[in-house]
Amino acid sequence: MATSSKFIKIHQNVLLEWIYDSDNLKTDDYQVVTDLISNKRGYMSKSGLNNINNTIFAIDPIIKKYAKIDTTKYNYLKLENYTTPYVQFDKLRLHLPTTYSFSDNGYIGLWIKIYSYDYNNKNIVEFSSFLYNDTEIGADSILVLNKEFFYDEQSWGKYITYDIPSIDAVSKQRTSSVGTNLPTTNSINYNLTKGVGISQESPIFIEFAFVVSKETVLGNTYYYLSELFKKSIAKVPEYMDLAANIVEAKDGDYFEIYGSYGGSNESMDEFIDELTAKGRKVKLEYEVSLFEENILMHTQTFVVEENFTKKLWYRPVLSFTNTTASIDVTMRVIDLVDKSQIERFASISLTTQVLKYGKTLTRLNMNNVFKPKIYNLKAPSQTQILTSNKVSDIDITKVNYPVISDRFNILVSSSPSITSEYKPMGLTEIIINPFGNVVKFNIASSVDANGTATPYDLTKITENSKITLSFKTDTEFLEKEIWQDTDQNDFENGVIVFRIEQSDVITLKKMSKSNQNFYITINSNKTGIRSMLYSGKWVDFEKVTFVDTTAAKSTGFDYGDFSDLGLTTQELQQMINNTSNFGAISMTSPNSNLIIFLKPDANVGIFENYLKGLAVNIYLKKPAGNSSTLTYFYFLLNVSPAIIEDIKTQNSVSEVIPIPFCVGADTTGTSSVNLQNIKDRVLGFNCATADRINQQQNRFNQ
């Protein structure tokens, strides 16, 4: 159906809906009334509500006094009867609040006038001057009750509606030839304007008022109106290239619902940007109605306020039908500035695929199901078949299905644990290589004091939602679903695997200029709401620097004499005695001790608040340098690579020196150590060989 609607709130309690309907073609017997005093002409249908019995004209526009059309009482009114060929009709619909009463608000009805200008844009041409009198007998039959809907925080549940000739279609009823361009003979365009025609540039003008009272004088009934409210709308639907779409997905039993502009879903963001540039902030609202055998079962509403190209996933649940069903979609573009709306419609019928959407679907329990192994079967030769029936004559080879992946342990809570390898929110960093990437996440919901992780059970989440790995900027969006072609997914134990294709790397490189975050998100199948489960950083493989630390360990590090910075023996001893943070560290840990030098003009207070926000402890803070270049340096223990990289990006930091974990040789053979050995152990000088690491570590713990 080629229809679209425009909503305008013309009064606090009156909502006008103009329905453009290119399929509403019909012939019409109509009348044209001419007011010989004002020289105005107006259209009245002989069928429907927009007829002579419901039409009024101005007796005295100053005091807003009106009367019904009656040529026997007003001899300056002239009526002409016509019949016209097929023409397009639009619908005018006036919505009222569900509980609205005219009498309670001091009125007896309402009046609305629809008009445009003639071809020369001089004279007014009326298409409707409609009166609704709530006090007349039978008025209730005009007011239609319908299903309530919400607009601008109000509930609307009844309306008045009637057809009006499409003013745009009427204005195009013209015949062109060499040197002439005239209205088509015997068309509404010709008859309504006496051969002049309707303007092709003028919009549709609307005047609205409530009927305050009526009086009868000498058999003549007069109506008095309230103040006038004036609006205008376009003759054709705004944004003709805007459309709503619903299609059945090719990769599953669900439907995709989305908007398109110019035939492209990707252009929806451009459409929204166009409105924003005009000062119109908007949101999209999708109303999805499910019908079973023409019976409305339920309606769901989805609101989209960002990422307008995102396709909604919708899966209907059919309760009783096994023959036919249908889904209707209404997409509304709601202007948050003037509260006007643009509507587009789409629908799809379900026939052969009805059985896929029954309500009795259940999740298969695969925990104890036999999982077959896959083999390659090498067919025996013809000679073997003829000479032997033994199974051993068939060569069976097992096919290995390896999955090479980077594994990351992540913690969905924000509380880090120095005794666990699980990284809390924001601290995991993944490297994207130029080829295919398979990334495996072990997700924990919490970690206890002993470093034992509790797996994050994803079973219930995957039943009702979709988990994705996402990368986004203001203009780009890349989303990867869980990779199903592997047996390494274990939802119950919080293990999920994603695959990033080589073709995706090009998109990621474009995105890296503005954002290098990755997001693990949960997308609800019911509400369409997206929630973030975890976020971290990603790094382009080509920008990673690799350092060979073997040579450094053999020759030792040389950062100068640490005593120049004002370290005392007691301070070094205090650092090395902190066995809860140093002695318990694994020698294979990727973490490092860290020395940080600040710039002379750095704000020390802000930087220390930043360190506290990273949940790291400041083990030493000392001033360094002379009075002209006075700065501060900090010494931190057990800092993760992700935090080190983040510290390097701070404007107040002058230099960051990572010190790998290493235990220095203890030549005394006792647990007491001299100052040089303490320096060696803290800074990583003269690293012991691998076969002495455990021995040295035990002695520190003592």
Side-chain angles (χ1 to χ4, degrees):
M1 179 180 294
T3 64
S4 62
S5 293
K6 173 73 174 181
F7 286 87
I8 298 179
K9 197 171 183 181
I10 55 179
H11 182 269
Q12 179 181 355
N13 292 313
V14 180
L15 175 65
L16 182 143
E17 178 185 6
W18 191 280
I19 304 174
Y20 305 90
D21 189 354
S22 61
D23 292 339
N24 187 16
L25 302 175
K26 61 182 180 180
T27 61
D28 189 34
D29 294 333
Y30 61 95
Q31 295 175 298
V32 174
V33 58
T34 304
D35 187 333
L36 299 177
I37 296 178
S38 63
N39 198 30
K40 291 182 180 179
R41 292 172 67 85
Y43 170 94
M44 298 178 297
S45 175
K46 288 188 177 182
S47 61
L49 295 182
N50 190 26
N51 57 45
I52 190 172
N53 296 323
N54 296 323
T55 301
I56 59 176
F57 72 101
I59 298 290
D60 187 344
I62 303 299
I63 62 174
K64 302 182 181 64
K65 181 179 180 181
Y66 286 72
K68 287 189 175 183
I69 302 292
D70 190 341
T71 57
T72 62
K73 297 179 179 179
Y74 309 100
N75 57 11
Y76 54 88
L77 297 181
K78 177 183 177 182
L79 285 178
E80 301 167 81
N81 297 303
Y82 297 99
T83 298
T84 191
Y86 281 94
V87 68
Q88 176 185 331
F89 279 76
D90 293 336
K91 288 185 181 295
L92 184 150
R93 186 167 292 171
L94 296 173
H95 296 274
L96 300 173
T98 306
T99 58
Y100 184 80
S101 170
F102 286 98
S103 59
D104 290 346
N105 289 273
Y107 305 125
I108 64 171
L110 57 81
W111 168 79
I112 187 165
K113 181 170 75 172
I114 307 297
Y115 65 94
S116 186
Y117 282 88
D118 65 10
Y119 193 75
N120 299 317
N121 292 315
K122 291 183 178 180
N123 298 316
I124 290 177
V125 182
E126 296 182 0
F127 282 80
S128 173
S129 182
F130 175 80
L131 168 73
Y132 171 75
N133 184 0
D134 193 53
T135 62
E136 288 186 353
I137 299 175
D140 291 343
S141 62
I142 298 177
L143 201 58
V144 179
L145 298 177
N146 69 320
K147 182 180 178 181
E148 292 185 348
F149 68 95
F150 284 90
Y151 180 94
D152 195 20
E153 300 182 357
Q154 277 186 279
S155 176
W156 309 86
K158 50 190 176 183
Y159 64 83
I160 301 168
T161 186
Y162 58 89
D163 286 354
I164 291 180
S166 169
I167 299 178
D168 177 65
V170 169
S171 69
K172 294 177 180 178
Q173 293 176 328
R174 303 186 71 87
T175 303
S176 299
S177 60
V178 178
T180 61
N181 181 9
L182 300 173
T184 303
T185 304
N186 197 33
S187 65
I188 297 178
N189 197 27
Y190 185 95
N191 298 332
L192 188 57
T193 61
K194 299 182 68 174
V196 177
I198 300 296
S199 171
Q200 294 185 321
E201 296 85 20
S202 172
I204 300 172
F205 293 97
I206 302 167
E207 290 185 5
F208 172 84
F210 287 103
V211 182
V212 177
S213 62
K214 71 174 181 178
E215 66 175 356
T216 302
V217 179
L218 301 176
N220 297 327
T221 302
Y222 302 105
Y223 300 89
Y224 294 89
L225 306 184
S226 67
E227 61 175 319
L228 297 181
F229 301 92
K230 298 181 180 182
K231 295 285 184 179
S232 66
I233 60 174
K235 291 192 299 182
V236 295
E238 295 179 279
Y239 308 103
M240 293 289 290
D241 292 333
L242 181 67
N245 302 270
I246 177 171
V247 296
E248 190 169 15
K250 297 179 180 180
D251 58 350
D253 295 338
Y254 64 94
F255 292 87
E256 292 181 335
I257 299 173
Y258 58 92
S260 63
Y261 188 62
S264 171
N265 169 244
E266 288 73 19
S267 298
M268 280 299 292
D269 280 334
E270 297 178 9
F271 166 69
I272 300 300
D273 291 342
E274 178 184 337
L275 294 180
T276 303
K278 295 178 180 179
R280 300 174 63 182
K281 183 176 177 59
V282 301
K283 67 178 180 180
L284 298 184
E285 185 177 279
Y286 294 91
E287 184 179 279
V288 184
S289 300
L290 175 64
F291 294 84
E292 296 186 35
E293 298 180 359
N294 295 324
I295 299 175
L296 177 62
M297 300 305 296
H298 60 81
T299 299
Q300 291 179 264
T301 301
F302 305 91
V303 178
V304 179
E305 296 181 309
E306 61 180 6
N307 190 18
F308 297 97
T309 59
K310 175 65 177 177
K311 296 181 178 180
L312 301 178
W313 287 13
Y314 174 74
R315 191 189 190 285
V317 178
L318 305 179
S319 58
F320 69 85
T321 184
N322 58 4
T323 55
T324 61
S326 64
I327 304 171
D328 289 353
V329 176
T330 300
M331 182 183 73
R332 298 187 181 96
V333 182
I334 302 176
D335 192 321
L336 301 178
V337 178
D338 63 8
K339 302 303 181 181
S340 64
Q341 291 186 1
I342 304 169
E343 284 193 349
R344 295 294 186 268
F345 307 94
S347 62
I348 191 170
S349 297
L350 311 180
T351 53
T352 58
Q353 67 270 53
V354 164
L355 297 179
K356 293 196 300 183
Y357 301 104
K359 66 178 181 179
T360 58
L361 297 181
T362 57
R363 183 174 182 270
L364 295 178
N365 185 357
M366 302 295 290
N367 293 334
N368 299 317
V369 175
F370 171 73
K371 299 178 181 179
K373 297 180 180 180
I374 302 175
Y375 296 89
N376 274 346
L377 178 61
K378 179 180 178 182
S381 66
Q382 188 68 20
T383 303
Q384 288 175 310
I385 296 176
L386 293 174
T387 60
S388 175
N389 291 323
K390 296 180 180 179
V391 177
S392 58
D393 289 339
I394 300 177
D395 185 11
I396 299 178
T397 304
K398 182 177 180 181
V399 176
N400 294 316
Y401 198 114
V403 175
I404 302 174
S405 64
D406 290 330
R407 184 185 68 179
F408 299 94
N409 298 328
I410 61 177
L411 178 64
V412 294
S413 65
S414 59
S415 299
S417 173
I418 60 174
T419 61
S420 172
E421 60 181 355
Y422 282 81
K423 304 296 183 183
M425 180 72 71
L427 298 187
T428 295
E429 188 174 81
I430 64 177
I431 298 176
I432 304 297
N433 68 63
F435 308 100
N437 296 263
V438 177
V439 184
K440 180 179 180 180
F441 292 99
N442 295 334
I443 307 176
S445 59
S446 62
V447 177
D448 62 21
N450 298 323
T452 303
T454 301
Y456 195 99
D457 190 351
L458 301 171
T459 305
K460 294 295 184 182
I461 294 177
T462 55
E463 287 180 357
N464 304 306
S465 304
K466 179 178 65 172
I467 301 177
T468 62
L469 176 64
S470 304
F471 307 84
K472 75 180 295 293
T473 66
D474 292 339
T475 58
E476 301 281 349
F477 184 74
L478 175 63
E479 185 174 50
K480 307 301 293 185
E481 297 182 14
I482 294 175
W483 192 34
Q484 301 295 345
D485 293 339
T486 175
D487 60 355
Q488 295 191 21
N489 288 308
D490 185 356
F491 298 146
E492 186 174 354
N493 292 310
V495 181
I496 50 177
V497 180
F498 298 96
R499 182 178 180 181
I500 302 173
E501 305 289 346
Q502 182 174 345
S503 58
D504 297 327
V505 178
I506 299 175
T507 303
L508 287 175
K509 286 186 176 181
K510 294 179 182 178
M511 300 169 66
S512 65
K513 298 178 182 179
S514 56
N515 187 4
Q516 286 191 262
N517 291 330
F518 72 85
Y519 309 92
I520 299 177
T521 62
I522 300 173
N523 305 326
S524 172
N525 295 335
K526 294 183 178 180
T527 63
I529 296 175
R530 182 191 297 268
S531 302
M532 188 174 73
L533 182 65
Y534 187 84
S535 176
K537 297 282 187 181
W538 68 271
V539 180
D540 187 354
F541 179 88
E542 297 174 353
K543 296 182 181 180
V544 176
T545 302
F546 296 91
V547 179
D548 184 2
T549 60
T550 305
K553 287 187 177 182
S554 63
T555 59
F557 298 97
D558 184 13
Y559 297 127
D561 187 354
F562 213 57
S563 61
D564 292 343
L565 302 176
L567 279 177
T568 65
T569 302
Q570 290 75 17
E571 288 170 336
L572 288 172
Q573 187 69 56
Q574 179 182 5
M575 290 158 49
I576 199 62
N577 285 343
N578 197 323
T579 57
S580 63
N581 291 281
F582 180 68
I585 298 170
S586 168
M587 292 299 105
T588 61
S589 171
N591 296 0
S592 300
N593 300 323
L594 195 65
I595 298 176
I596 306 171
F597 288 92
L598 296 188
K599 296 177 181 178
D601 59 348
N603 189 314
V604 177
I606 293 177
F607 180 72
E608 290 183 3
N609 288 333
Y610 160 75
L611 289 181
K612 293 176 182 178
L614 294 178
V616 298
N617 294 318
I618 303 173
Y619 285 92
L620 185 66
K621 167 189 169 184
K622 293 286 291 183
N626 55 47
S627 58
S628 61
T629 59
L630 182 62
T631 183
Y632 282 86
F633 78 89
Y634 297 82
F635 187 81
L636 313 180
L637 289 180
N638 193 19
V639 184
S640 70
I643 292 182
I644 293 176
E645 292 302 317
D646 196 72
I647 291 175
K648 290 180 180 179
T649 64
Q650 302 304 306
N651 293 330
S652 56
V653 173
S654 173
E655 187 177 4
V656 176
I657 304 175
I659 311 296
F661 294 126
C662 190
V663 181
D666 185 355
T667 58
T668 65
T670 65
S671 60
S672 61
V673 293
N674 57 37
L675 176 59
Q676 183 59 47
N677 286 335
I678 294 173
K679 286 185 178 181
D680 292 345
R681 294 180 182 186
V682 173
L683 299 182
F685 297 156
N686 305 320
C687 293
T689 57
D691 60 347
R692 297 191 58 198
I693 288 178
N694 291 333
Q695 175 186 356
Q696 295 291 338
Q697 205 170 5
N698 292 333
R699 295 173 64 186
F700 274 104
N701 290 335
Q702 295 174 1

